[in-house]
Amino acid sequence: MNMRAVVLQHGALSLADVSVPKPGAGEVLVRTLATGICGSDLHTVSHGEKLLASARAVAGIEIFDPAERIVLGHEICAEIVEYGPDCRKIHAIGTRVVSAPFIIRPTPVTLGFGTLETPGGLGQYMVLSEALLIPVPDHVSNDLATLAEPLAVAVHAVNRGAVAGDAVPIVIGCGPIGLAIIAVLKSRGIGPIVAADFSNARREMARTLGADVVVDPRETSPYDAWREVAAVSEPERIARQTPMFPGHAFRPCVVFECVGAPGMIQRILAGAPPCSKVVVVGLCMEEDRFQPTYAIMKEIDLAFCIAFSIEEFIEAFTQIASGKLDVRPLITSQIGLKDVPDAFTRLANPENDIKIIVHPQDA
């Protein structure tokens, strides 16, 4: 039995007929209903060799073989079709589910980076681990359910920032993850939130999702905008002080770097208030440099993050399902499989789309 899938090989995407995968022990075969295109998918296509080299150097692993055909896609909503051996069969056939993007095997598989035996969501069928399945309530659409994964990334980033209730956060870069971070911050009652992006469309989306102050950095410094809303007179609300910056009467600051371009860390260290925490979320694929003295003299905490825990994935999906996190505006287009290569090109322009959802059954 065959299915349609968008395959990646040697850095090029194409639509192909491939075999439907077979579920192993503790796994289920699912029919893919909706898949979001993630920024990491774009990086894999445009900077695949650099991504592989980084993973090899840092963790000693091979994420995938560029010579093999792989099927991307890890932001998914699917329907249970068939159980493999040794399953508990808790959920009925036909149940819609989401899953954290991993397959539990002796050598774990990251969904969207496996071979055709473990394809990602840009194929009509996938195998998933039964233990990681979360049923999707009837009132949650297929498209909305796919946002659990990017929202989990945002939940993890906010957790890494340890953002306290009185902090005034700055989000630099309003792509899908920056926007998701804004939504998570808003849902936790943290603010006012300052957001900055060059794109008019993304600035408008930042306002929609809860940013209180939105600036075009070509016209207004996000740090100047932060000072206008973060100044306080009550001593108990003033952030930690250092001898180098006496009288700095402002609330705490957490900066989220969501651009991932060379030079961004240095620009943030130069502009961020003293005693800020900087959380680097953007995936920069190039060598970068910054001057440590900026961070040292300001006593800035610098943190990096990637992905999320299973608990954070569950939290993100639960909040989407409950309506606490309303991120429906992120979805700007829906397409079929044949339009995926063009969508990767469209997403290079920030004015075109925020989040494109693929409906794999529309081949």
Side-chain angles (χ1 to χ4, degrees), residues 195-276:
D197 199 284
F198 291 122
S199 163
N200 180 63
R202 294 190 173 187
R203 290 196 302 273
E204 289 304 313
M205 187 64 73
R207 289 190 182 92
T208 298
L209 290 174
D212 300 283
V213 180
V214 181
V215 301
D216 181 341
R218 288 167 297 203
E219 300 175 356
T220 304
S221 162
Y223 311 105
D224 289 343
W226 178 89
R227 289 181 181 87
E228 289 184 8
V229 295
V232 288
S233 57
E234 304 95 324
E236 67 275 11
R237 301 183 69 192
I238 294 174
R240 182 171 63 87
Q241 303 283 294
T242 70
M244 189 166 285
F245 295 93
H248 185 76
F250 296 90
R251 292 162 61 181
C253 178
V254 181
V255 184
F256 294 92
E257 192 281 286
C258 303
V259 178
M264 279 307 306
I265 294 176
Q266 175 58 30
R267 287 196 283 276
I268 288 174
L269 295 180
C275 300
S276 296

Side-chain angles (χ1 to χ4, degrees), residues 38-54:
C38 176
S40 63
D41 296 327
L42 304 180
H43 281 305
T44 301
V45 173
S46 59
H47 302 290
E49 291 295 342
K50 291 178 180 178
L51 180 63
L52 290 170
S54 295

